Amino acid sequence: MRGIIFAFLAGACITLQGVSNARISQDIGTWQAATITQLTGFIMSFLILLFVRDGKWGGLKQVKPLYLIGGAFAAVIIFSEVTAIQQIGVTFTISSLLIAQLCLTFLIDINGWFGMEKRKMRLPQFIGIGLMIVGVVILKF
Amino acid sequence: MVIGLILALIAGSLVSLQNIFNTKVNEKVGSWATTTLVLGMGFLASFIMSLIVEGNRIFTLRSMEPWYWISGLIGVGVVICLVQGTKRLGPTYAISIVLISQLGFALLWDSLGWLGLEKVPFTWKQLVGVLVIVGGILVFKLGGERETQKAA
């Protein structure tokens, strides 16, 4: 039960994050909003890291440099998401975003890109993606 | 509308890539070190983009409301909830709930127009659309065993 509540809150917070970024962007600009929210998040997370001490810094050297800069994508993610929310609304934005996210993850899984374990495509996953796209079309037309 | 849609698709693709990259880092250095690194990188990239786009005008933050400073903490909340949820439910069920909750709150937000965003009036068509998407997510995530069930 607590797991369900955590997962539910995580989803709520992800959407809230997009919405509050969109709101802040109206006042101070989108890139600045991204800068400030990431900075305060970074500081908080750094403090928690100091407190819990779960960092295994030696491991950093074993990670491919490409994977270490993944965080930098957030700049483009926030900019695109905020601009989309302002233009097409929260529901349409999140729906399209999730479809792209699931499709690409799926594509990476079945091809085993980035050293991911290869997975076979099954019918339910195709039906699922199909249904999601139908849902977005219903949403909009 | 098309531009908004394309931007949303770009954002989704990058989220997918970022999740995979972060998982790789997470395996080696632990979850808070990963979160700190990810947010630090995001800050640097956004800061550089701000400088390129706006120049040093960015240092005069005129219309800052106090709560803007703490909204970044939502991201930390996301990490805590994701880690705890996944630990208890496993990735498949946890991520299914996360996605559905994201959509539900999106619809709620549009209908209520909180935080001064433009209100998108609630219609039954929207609810049906969201429910069909939720159905799609459930079929995608829970329908039929895939070969391996490691990451979601």
Side-chain angles (χ1 to χ4, degrees):
Chain A
M1 189 59 208
R2 280 177 71 187
I4 296 176
I5 295 171
F6 276 120
F8 179 76
L9 285 177
C13 284
I14 293 173
T15 298
L16 175 64
Q17 206 175 16
V19 173
S20 70
N21 281 334
R23 176 66 189 84
I24 298 171
S25 298
Q26 287 177 354
D27 279 356
I28 65 171
T30 311
W31 296 110
Q32 288 92 318
T35 307
I36 284 177
T37 53
Q38 305 269 306
L39 176 63
T40 48
F42 166 73
I43 293 169
M44 187 64 202
S45 151
F46 185 66
L47 291 176
I48 295 175
L49 176 65
L50 289 180
F51 186 72
V52 299
R53 296 180 171 279
D54 80 334
K56 292 167 279 191
W57 296 109
L60 271 183
K61 284 188 220 113
Q62 300 164 27
V63 185
K64 275 194 196 167
L66 171 69
Y67 300 149
L68 295 178
I69 56 149
F73 293 162
V76 183
I77 295 173
I78 295 175
F79 180 83
S80 308
E81 191 190 3
V82 162
T83 313
I85 287 179
Q86 287 166 349
Q87 294 202 354
I88 59 178
V90 188
T91 312
F92 195 25
T93 299
I94 301 288
S95 312
S96 326
L97 191 153
L98 289 183
I99 290 177
Q101 183 186 334
L102 287 175
C103 283
L104 185 58
T105 305
F106 193 45
L107 204 63
I108 291 170
D109 273 346
I110 57 176
N111 288 302
W113 289 335
F114 303 112
M116 298 301 282
E117 217 169 310
K118 263 194 187 185
R119 291 202 279 198
K120 281 221 179 97
M121 242 193 256
R122 293 285 170 99
L123 190 60
Q125 278 74 50
F126 282 111
I127 298 175
I129 288 177
L131 272 175
M132 284 186 259
I133 294 172
V134 170
V136 171
V137 173
I138 295 176
L139 209 60
K140 214 54 213 173
F141 300 100
Chain B
M1 183 193 117
V2 178
I3 296 172
L5 177 64
I6 292 171
L7 286 171
L9 295 177
I10 292 174
S13 309
L14 287 175
V15 169
S16 157
L17 279 182
Q18 200 187 34
N19 283 344
I20 287 169
F21 290 8
N22 294 353
T23 309
K24 300 273 179 190
V25 181
N26 203 353
E27 283 165 8
K28 302 283 187 211
V29 302
S31 82
W32 284 108
T34 306
T35 309
T36 307
L37 178 77
V38 167
L39 289 168
M41 285 289 175
F43 160 69
L44 271 181
S46 311
F47 183 62
I48 291 168
M49 283 310 297
S50 305
L51 276 179
I52 293 173
V53 177
E54 303 274 338
N56 37 13
R57 268 188 301 152
I58 61 166
F59 297 105
T60 51
L61 294 163
R62 275 166 293 104
S63 25
M64 279 294 283
E65 304 259 356
W67 71 269
Y68 295 177
W69 289 107
I70 54 158
S71 74
L73 304 186
I74 303 169
V76 176
V78 171
V79 175
I80 295 174
C81 294
L82 275 181
V83 170
Q84 293 300 322
T86 310
K87 202 157 72 181
R88 290 177 164 83
L89 301 171
T92 308
Y93 288 101
I95 300 298
S96 306
I97 296 171
V98 171
L99 299 178
I100 292 166
S101 158
Q102 256 179 282
L103 272 174
F105 277 95
L107 188 58
L108 189 69
W109 226 284
D110 267 341
S111 339
L112 297 173
W114 281 342
L115 290 177
L117 287 187
E118 202 180 323
K119 204 166 166 175
V120 181
F122 175 87
T123 59
W124 290 104
K125 199 180 68 172
Q126 271 185 311
L127 182 65
V128 172
V130 166
L131 287 178
V132 172
I133 300 172
V134 166
I137 292 173
L138 290 176
V139 173
F140 184 96
K141 286 284 176 191
L142 311 178
E145 283 300 298
R146 279 181 276 171
E147 289 293 284
T148 52
Q149 286 285 348
K150 222 183 76 194

